[in-house]
Short mmCIF file of all heavy atoms in Angstrom, two decimals:
data_model
loop_
_atom_site.label_atom_id
_atom_site.label_comp_id
_atom_site.label_asym_id
_atom_site.label_seq_id
_atom_site.Cartn_x
_atom_site.Cartn_y
_atom_site.Cartn_z
N ARG B 255 2.89 32.03 11.80
CA ARG B 255 4.26 31.78 11.35
C ARG B 255 5.10 31.10 12.44
O ARG B 255 6.19 30.60 12.14
CB ARG B 255 4.95 33.06 10.90
CG ARG B 255 5.15 34.12 11.96
CD ARG B 255 5.86 35.34 11.36
NE ARG B 255 6.13 36.38 12.34
CZ ARG B 255 5.27 37.31 12.66
NH1 ARG B 255 4.07 37.33 12.09
NH2 ARG B 255 5.58 38.24 13.56
N PHE B 256 4.59 31.07 13.66
CA PHE B 256 5.27 30.36 14.75
C PHE B 256 4.71 28.94 14.84
O PHE B 256 3.50 28.75 14.96
CB PHE B 256 5.07 31.06 16.09
CG PHE B 256 5.76 32.39 16.19
CD1 PHE B 256 5.10 33.55 15.85
CD2 PHE B 256 7.08 32.48 16.62
CE1 PHE B 256 5.73 34.79 15.93
CE2 PHE B 256 7.73 33.71 16.72
CZ PHE B 256 7.05 34.87 16.36
N SER B 257 5.60 27.94 14.78
CA SER B 257 5.16 26.57 14.92
C SER B 257 6.20 25.77 15.68
O SER B 257 7.37 26.15 15.77
CB SER B 257 4.91 25.93 13.54
OG SER B 257 6.12 25.87 12.79
N GLY B 258 5.75 24.65 16.24
CA GLY B 258 6.65 23.81 17.00
C GLY B 258 6.57 22.36 16.56
O GLY B 258 5.54 21.92 16.03
N SER B 259 7.66 21.64 16.78
CA SER B 259 7.69 20.22 16.45
C SER B 259 8.57 19.51 17.47
O SER B 259 9.32 20.13 18.22
CB SER B 259 8.22 20.00 15.03
OG SER B 259 9.55 20.47 14.92
N SER B 260 8.45 18.18 17.45
CA SER B 260 9.17 17.37 18.42
C SER B 260 9.62 16.07 17.79
O SER B 260 8.85 15.46 17.03
CB SER B 260 8.28 17.09 19.64
OG SER B 260 8.92 16.22 20.54
N SER B 261 10.84 15.66 18.12
CA SER B 261 11.35 14.38 17.65
C SER B 261 12.34 13.86 18.67
O SER B 261 13.44 14.41 18.82
CB SER B 261 12.01 14.52 16.28
OG SER B 261 12.53 13.28 15.85
N GLY B 262 11.94 12.79 19.37
CA GLY B 262 12.85 12.21 20.36
C GLY B 262 13.17 13.18 21.47
O GLY B 262 12.28 13.67 22.16
N THR B 263 14.46 13.46 21.63
CA THR B 263 14.90 14.33 22.73
C THR B 263 15.13 15.77 22.26
O THR B 263 15.75 16.56 22.98
CB THR B 263 16.18 13.79 23.37
OG1 THR B 263 17.21 13.69 22.36
CG2 THR B 263 15.95 12.41 23.99
N THR B 264 14.64 16.09 21.08
CA THR B 264 14.81 17.45 20.55
C THR B 264 13.48 18.03 20.10
O THR B 264 12.69 17.35 19.45
CB THR B 264 15.78 17.44 19.36
OG1 THR B 264 17.06 16.97 19.78
CG2 THR B 264 15.95 18.86 18.79
N VAL B 265 13.25 19.26 20.50
CA VAL B 265 12.09 20.00 20.02
C VAL B 265 12.60 21.19 19.23
O VAL B 265 13.74 21.65 19.44
CB VAL B 265 11.17 20.48 21.16
CG1 VAL B 265 10.57 19.26 21.87
CG2 VAL B 265 11.92 21.36 22.13
N SER B 266 11.76 21.69 18.34
CA SER B 266 12.16 22.81 17.49
C SER B 266 11.06 23.84 17.42
O SER B 266 9.87 23.50 17.38
CB SER B 266 12.49 22.32 16.08
OG SER B 266 13.55 21.39 16.10
N LEU B 267 11.49 25.08 17.41
CA LEU B 267 10.60 26.21 17.15
C LEU B 267 10.94 26.73 15.76
O LEU B 267 12.11 27.04 15.49
CB LEU B 267 10.82 27.31 18.18
CG LEU B 267 10.12 28.64 17.92
CD1 LEU B 267 8.61 28.49 18.07
CD2 LEU B 267 10.64 29.74 18.85
#
Side-chain angles (χ1 to χ4, degrees):
Chain B
R255 63 180 182 274
F256 292 92
S257 63
S259 62
S260 175
S261 178
T263 58
T264 299
V265 296
S266 300
L267 171 69

